[in-house]
Amino acid sequence: MNRLLGIVVVLLALPFQGLAQGPSDHQRNVTDCRDGFSSCDRTKLSDAERTALAVADHQNNVAACNEGHRSCDHSRLTLSEARATAVAGHLRNLSDCKDGIGDCDSSKLTPSEAAEVSTARHERNASDCRYEMGRCDPSKLTPSEKKDAEFAEHQRNVTNCKNGWTDCNRSNLSELEAHEVEAADHQRNLSDCRAGLATCDYSQLTVTEAGALANAEQTRNYRACLTGFGYCDRSRLSPAESKAIPDTSAVPR
């Protein structure tokens, strides 16, 4: 009897399960249609859903045309939309010509726009030469722009030399700049020596600097031996320091 009752309950539940799955499948189809998936079945949409989809499709096409996407279908635009799209396309072409990117069509520019583009390109070339970015054409620079570019290049070289970078031409330094670079080299080497780096050249240190480093190392070594932390070289301890170091030879293992 209990088994029969269970079967009846299962059979009664089946229609409700179908109803529960229906809206989910329908909503998935609506989403597929909105996303333009091939799995979309427009015949299963209600009138309201088909209208909303048509509105969304039209708006998406207008946006694609305004942004110059290949998916744009100009035949679906209204007259006003086509005019707005043409204006957007013209402005986009003008921007591309000024920036030197994208698909610039100079033939579509007005005389005043062509002059603006020429000015923008000249300024961009001067900036590229000054900062060594993009494509610099020195032949298109004015005398003052050429001087600015040469000065910027000289300053970059000074900076490279002061920082110890490989892209440094010391032969182009003035006497004052050469002294400044030597001072920067010396300070960088002193810093490396203080940090115990392999790039340290002790032969470049002054007597005072070498003495200060030796004292600092003597102090460090003594503390390492005294505390048991860090590298300790007992052979470098002074007699007084050696006496202050606890004798660990008798400590039981």
Side-chain angles (χ1 to χ4, degrees), residues 86 89-91 93-94 97 103-111 113-114:
H90 184 82
L91 294 177
N93 180 65
L94 176 59
C97 292
D103 298 325
C104 166
D105 187 348
S106 300
S107 65
K108 294 181 179 180
L109 300 175
T110 66
E113 289 172 341

Side-chain angles (χ1 to χ4, degrees), residues 83-148:
R83 289 172 179 169
T85 295
V87 172
H90 184 82
L91 294 177
R92 188 169 53 253
N93 180 65
L94 176 59
S95 177
D96 289 345
C97 292
K98 284 184 175 180
D99 296 336
I101 60 175
D103 298 325
C104 166
D105 187 348
S106 300
S107 65
K108 294 181 179 180
L109 300 175
T110 66
S112 62
E113 289 172 341
E116 290 179 21
V117 169
S118 177
T119 300
R121 288 178 176 176
H122 182 86
E123 292 176 349
R124 186 171 59 253
N125 181 65
S127 177
D128 290 344
C129 293
R130 190 181 306 116
Y131 299 108
E132 284 192 337
M133 298 175 61
R135 298 178 180 177
C136 164
D137 186 351
S139 66
K140 295 182 179 180
L141 298 176
T142 65
S144 62
E145 289 170 343
K146 187 175 182 181
K147 287 182 179 179
D148 289 342

Side-chain angles (χ1 to χ4, degrees), residues 210-231:
L213 282 177
N215 290 335
E217 171 55 25
Q218 183 72 17
T219 301
R220 186 211 62 79
N221 185 66
Y222 172 62
R223 287 177 180 174
C225 295
L226 185 64
T227 62
F229 290 97
Y231 172 73

Side-chain angles (χ1 to χ4, degrees), residues 5-244:
L5 180 59
I7 294 174
V8 172
V9 171
V10 171
L11 292 176
L12 290 174
L14 288 177
F16 293 100
Q17 291 178 354
L19 290 175
Q21 294 175 355
S24 176
D25 292 340
H26 182 80
Q27 191 58 43
R28 188 179 301 110
N29 182 61
V30 172
T31 301
D32 290 346
C33 291
R34 283 297 186 98
D35 294 338
F37 294 158
S38 58
S39 55
C40 163
D41 186 350
R42 292 176 180 255
T43 62
K44 293 182 179 180
L45 300 177
S46 66
D47 289 341
E49 290 167 343
R50 276 193 291 271
T51 299
L53 177 61
V55 171
D57 284 346
H58 185 83
Q59 291 174 338
N60 291 336
N61 184 61
V62 171
C65 293
N66 285 335
E67 295 170 6
H69 295 168
R70 293 183 179 180
S71 58
C72 163
D73 184 352
H74 289 277
S75 65
R76 293 168 54 192
L77 299 175
T78 66
L79 182 59
S80 298
E81 291 167 345
R83 289 172 179 169
T85 295
V87 172
H90 184 82
L91 294 177
R92 188 169 53 253
N93 180 65
L94 176 59
S95 177
D96 289 345
C97 292
K98 284 184 175 180
D99 296 336
I101 60 175
D103 298 325
C104 166
D105 187 348
S106 300
S107 65
K108 294 181 179 180
L109 300 175
T110 66
S112 62
E113 289 172 341
E116 290 179 21
V117 169
S118 177
T119 300
R121 288 178 176 176
H122 182 86
E123 292 176 349
R124 186 171 59 253
N125 181 65
S127 177
D128 290 344
C129 293
R130 190 181 306 116
Y131 299 108
E132 284 192 337
M133 298 175 61
R135 298 178 180 177
C136 164
D137 186 351
S139 66
K140 295 182 179 180
L141 298 176
T142 65
S144 62
E145 289 170 343
K146 187 175 182 181
K147 287 182 179 179
D148 289 342
E150 291 174 349
F151 177 77
E153 167 59 23
H154 183 83
Q155 291 303 112
R156 273 192 300 274
N157 183 62
V158 172
T159 300
N160 292 341
C161 292
K162 285 185 176 180
N163 290 329
W165 296 337
T166 56
D167 193 12
C168 160
N169 187 350
R170 292 178 181 257
S171 64
N172 288 338
L173 300 175
S174 67
E175 185 176 352
L176 175 61
E177 290 167 346
H179 287 311
E180 291 175 348
V181 169
E182 289 176 2
D185 288 342
H186 186 83
Q187 284 301 120
R188 188 165 47 252
N189 181 64
L190 177 59
S191 177
D192 291 348
C193 293
R194 285 172 176 170
L197 301 181
T199 49
C200 164
D201 184 354
Y202 289 97
S203 66
Q204 299 299 319
L205 300 176
T206 65
V207 175
T208 302
E209 291 167 345
L213 282 177
N215 290 335
E217 171 55 25
Q218 183 72 17
T219 301
R220 186 211 62 79
N221 185 66
Y222 172 62
R223 287 177 180 174
C225 295
L226 185 64
T227 62
F229 290 97
Y231 172 73
C232 165
D233 185 351
R234 288 176 173 267
S235 67
R236 293 164 53 196
L237 297 174
S238 67
E241 290 173 340
S242 296
K243 290 180 180 180

